[in-house]
Amino acid sequence: MAKEGKTALVFGASGTVGWGVVNELLSSYPAPGTVQKVIAVTNRPLDFKDTFWPEESPSRQTLSLVSGVDLVSGTVQTPVKGISEVTHVFYFVYKSECDITEEIEVNRKMLETALSALDRLSPKLEMIVFPTGTKAYGIHLGGTVFPPPYDESMSPSHEKIRKTVHYQMMHEVLQKASADKQWTYCDIRPDVVVGFAPNGSPMNLATHWATYLSLYATVEGKGASIPFPGTTKVYKALYNEGSSEIIAKCAIWAALHPQQMGQEHVFNIADQAKPESMRERWPALASYFGLKGVAPPDGDEGGGKPGEYIDKHKAELKKVGIEADPVGRSAFLDGYGYFADFDRQMSLEKVRAAGFDEELDPNESWFKVWDRLKKAGTIPS
């Protein structure tokens, strides 16, 4: 790639996975010289010092950080310099709405706005990579649509799914836009995402639990037992989580291998192929904060809700200089331990057959994120 001077454009660079893509590109993944320039695009303002991306150096790729790009309104406050040289696009943008019909349409508009600009301004475009998730398999419908392990042949065009999530719309828009063009596209599909977001995220479970666990250790003391904040069924349910690191690496690998990844369009991804449950994960996560993670009590009440505990003891957070950020206390995150009480593991056979075989230790993925949160001052160090 380096000989041709490749340029990567990352939409949603301040989000959990978009941040990870920029971080891996600036860390020279998969090898030095893979890309020469990275254009990181955000809607909300973002200061480089808050990103914790690799600092500028003679060996690091050129970075252009552009804020004020609003795909909903179609406005751009600052021109995106270098867009004519863009060869690879990572589209990690999503807008949630209360009404699913409205959500599908606003995300359609955003994607079409981006594609229209790329069609006019990026003649060298080769590949677009975007993420979806296991809603494509109906997990938001209680896991009743398809049986696990989920594989990519289980289509989100299923009538029950296409009406309740925007994924199929994205495929239809991209399929139409790429017809008779030199570029192709790829959908990478994780389940639980573990990662760092410099601007915060209402869906960042790692931040939510880090705030809860660090506060619990402060209030109850190191060595205290902390029940999993959910039910026994969720505690035992099998799944695969994906760190922003492995998702980013797979996205970059996909962008570099359009022949393997651009023809089949959809690939599951996770830190490891082996499914696990919170029965394995929770004790390890609790140990990071000096706590003993234990199973929740039986019954619908489970092990309690982190947001309620944070609200009750937020004065303790202030004592150590931490604000109880409402972004990290959404009902969505509090409900994580109560909803997915069914096995939802995925098959990674397809992405392995395509050639991407990297794996990470899921526990270490959580710990890396929490190390960054400490550095950012989000949780006590």
Side-chain angles (χ1 to χ4, degrees), residues 154-172:
M154 301 171 181
S155 173
S157 63
H158 188 288
E159 192 64 19
K160 287 184 179 180
I161 297 174
R162 67 176 295 127
K163 290 182 178 180
T164 56
V165 71
H166 65 284
Y167 300 161
Q168 185 62 22
M169 171 277 294
M170 295 186 72
H171 277 268
E172 292 168 357

Side-chain angles (χ1 to χ4, degrees), residues 75-127:
T75 58
V76 178
Q77 295 180 11
T78 305
V80 182
K81 295 181 180 179
I83 194 170
S84 63
E85 300 301 313
V86 167
T87 52
H88 294 77
V89 169
F90 301 89
Y91 185 84
F92 289 82
V93 178
Y94 163 71
K95 190 173 190 299
S96 175
E97 297 288 350
C98 294
D99 179 77
I100 186 57
T101 301
E102 183 178 350
E103 178 172 300
I104 291 172
E105 287 310 308
V106 74
N107 281 283
R108 178 195 300 276
K109 180 180 178 181
M110 291 165 63
L111 179 57
E112 289 177 341
T113 297
L115 290 173
S116 176
L118 292 168
D119 187 52
R120 290 181 289 108
L121 303 173
S122 303
K124 299 180 181 180
L125 182 61
E126 299 174 17
M127 184 72 158

Side-chain angles (χ1 to χ4, degrees), residues 45-311:
L46 180 63
D47 193 316
F48 178 79
K49 67 179 177 58
D50 297 324
T51 66
F52 299 95
W53 287 326
E55 295 287 343
E56 184 175 358
S57 70
S59 61
R60 199 204 70 179
Q61 293 84 349
T62 301
L63 171 66
S64 176
L65 178 56
V66 184
S67 299
V69 177
D70 187 344
L71 294 177
V72 176
S73 65
T75 58
V76 178
Q77 295 180 11
T78 305
V80 182
K81 295 181 180 179
I83 194 170
S84 63
E85 300 301 313
V86 167
T87 52
H88 294 77
V89 169
F90 301 89
Y91 185 84
F92 289 82
V93 178
Y94 163 71
K95 190 173 190 299
S96 175
E97 297 288 350
C98 294
D99 179 77
I100 186 57
T101 301
E102 183 178 350
E103 178 172 300
I104 291 172
E105 287 310 308
V106 74
N107 281 283
R108 178 195 300 276
K109 180 180 178 181
M110 291 165 63
L111 179 57
E112 289 177 341
T113 297
L115 290 173
S116 176
L118 292 168
D119 187 52
R120 290 181 289 108
L121 303 173
S122 303
K124 299 180 181 180
L125 182 61
E126 299 174 17
M127 184 72 158
I128 295 177
V129 182
F130 69 100
T132 56
T134 46
K135 281 188 178 181
Y137 303 125
I139 68 162
H140 59 304
L141 302 175
T144 60
V145 181
F146 298 115
Y150 300 143
D151 68 61
E152 297 86 345
S153 68
M154 301 171 181
S155 173
S157 63
H158 188 288
E159 192 64 19
K160 287 184 179 180
I161 297 174
R162 67 176 295 127
K163 290 182 178 180
T164 56
V165 71
H166 65 284
Y167 300 161
Q168 185 62 22
M169 171 277 294
M170 295 186 72
H171 277 268
E172 292 168 357
V173 169
L174 284 160
Q175 185 178 42
K176 181 178 179 181
S178 62
D180 302 320
K181 299 288 176 61
Q182 66 179 8
W183 60 270
T184 186
Y185 64 94
C186 174
D187 167 3
I188 53 173
R189 186 171 290 169
D191 184 28
V192 180
V193 177
V194 179
F196 172 79
N199 273 345
S201 168
M203 294 186 179
N204 195 306
L205 187 64
T207 301
H208 188 53
W209 278 1
T211 303
Y212 174 51
L213 287 162
S214 60
L215 178 60
Y216 200 95
T218 299
V219 174
E220 312 297 338
K222 300 284 187 179
S225 294
I226 180 169
F228 172 70
T231 66
T232 300
K233 284 186 177 180
V234 176
Y235 191 65
K236 295 179 179 179
L238 294 174
Y239 73 104
N240 311 76
E241 69 245 87
S243 63
S244 60
E245 179 179 345
I246 201 70
I247 299 167
K249 286 179 174 179
C250 183
I252 296 166
W253 195 91
L256 301 176
H257 296 84
Q259 293 302 315
Q260 294 98 312
M261 304 293 276
Q263 302 303 316
E264 295 298 325
H265 302 317
V266 182
F267 295 87
N268 291 339
I269 186 60
D271 273 2
Q272 62 180 22
K274 177 187 175 184
E276 292 185 321
S277 69
M278 275 294 157
R279 186 162 40 186
E280 289 87 21
R281 190 72 62 244
W282 186 247
L285 301 187
S287 71
Y288 180 92
F289 297 91
L291 297 168
K292 182 180 179 181
V294 298
D298 291 332
D300 294 337
E301 293 299 316
K305 294 185 177 180
E308 295 176 0
Y309 189 91
I310 293 169
D311 276 337

Side-chain angles (χ1 to χ4, degrees), residues 9-63:
L9 171 63
V10 184
F11 287 101
S14 62
T16 304
V17 183
W19 178 92
V21 172
V22 176
N23 191 60
E24 292 304 321
L25 288 169
L26 294 182
S27 300
S28 296
Y29 180 85
T34 298
V35 298
Q36 293 185 339
K37 183 175 182 178
V38 179
I39 303 173
V41 172
T42 70
N43 181 11
R44 291 182 290 166
L46 180 63
D47 193 316
F48 178 79
K49 67 179 177 58
D50 297 324
T51 66
F52 299 95
W53 287 326
E55 295 287 343
E56 184 175 358
S57 70
S59 61
R60 199 204 70 179
Q61 293 84 349
T62 301
L63 171 66

